[in-house]
Amino acid sequence: MVNDERQKVGLERLAYNNKLEQAALSHSQWMARGGKMEHLQGERPQDFGDYLKSDHHHCTRILKTGYLRWQDLYDVTEDANGRHVHAKANADDHVSEIIAFAGPGSGSIQQQLPIVVPGWMKSPGHRAVIVKTCWKDMGGAFAMSKNGSTYYCVTFGNPVE
């Protein structure tokens, strides 16, 4: 359905990517376990070592799958206070994610998707991600919480060549 929305505005369909699906599934499951719809997982990493193993941000979740390398998205500087991670200026042109939530009693996945995807298209921020011209790949997933809520995540990617 995301690709259908892209085609409606004259954009190419995105290739489905299993690594991006893996990142989306990981985040969907985290949201379902915690019962909250959020982009950022847990506390912000405090140092460089924490960044290397963190799932805090969608970039790090996608990097863990091997879709991109750290140096594709980040620069590291070092000073007297330690190492500092800085996102490259074009990092947002290589990875992104959108999320959604459907509460208990919202029906089956087949009933929810015709509401979720148009909802994203009505949201300026979500729509901007979906129709961004740089994307080449996408992956999507959902997970259900114990109370029957469904958490959706779609990740987008543009590999560094």
Side-chain angles (χ1 to χ4, degrees), residues 12 19 31 42 56 77 103 107 117 125 131 155:
E12 292 183 18
K19 290 178 179 179
M31 290 188 295
H56 177 71
T77 58
V117 176
V131 301
T155 55

Side-chain angles (χ1 to χ4, degrees), residues 15-18 20-22 24 137-141 153-157:
Y16 199 81
N17 184 281
N18 290 330
L20 292 175
E21 176 187 342
Q22 185 182 353
D137 305 309
M138 67 175 280
C153 182
V154 178
T155 55
F156 298 85

Side-chain angles (χ1 to χ4, degrees), residues 51-53 60 63 68-75 85:
Y51 273 99
L52 294 176
K53 51 190 175 190
T60 54
L63 288 169
L68 292 169
R69 301 167 302 151
W70 269 91
Q71 57 269 34
D72 295 333
L73 300 179
Y74 295 103
D75 286 319
V85 177

Side-chain angles (χ1 to χ4, degrees), residues 23-76:
L25 179 59
S26 169
H27 193 55
S28 295
Q29 291 171 337
W30 177 84
M31 290 188 295
R33 279 192 309 274
K36 56 186 171 183
M37 185 180 80
E38 293 183 11
H39 286 282
L40 301 177
Q41 291 186 19
E43 297 295 318
R44 181 181 173 89
Q46 296 301 308
D47 61 33
F48 182 71
D50 286 346
Y51 273 99
L52 294 176
K53 51 190 175 190
S54 170
D55 279 341
H56 177 71
H57 193 271
H58 68 270
C59 290
T60 54
R61 292 189 289 273
I62 291 169
L63 288 169
K64 280 185 165 185
T65 70
Y67 181 80
L68 292 169
R69 301 167 302 151
W70 269 91
Q71 57 269 34
D72 295 333
L73 300 179
Y74 295 103
D75 286 319
V76 178

Side-chain angles (χ1 to χ4, degrees), residues 101-107 112 145 147-150:
F101 161 83
S106 299
Q112 292 173 11
S145 68
N147 75 355
S149 297
T150 309

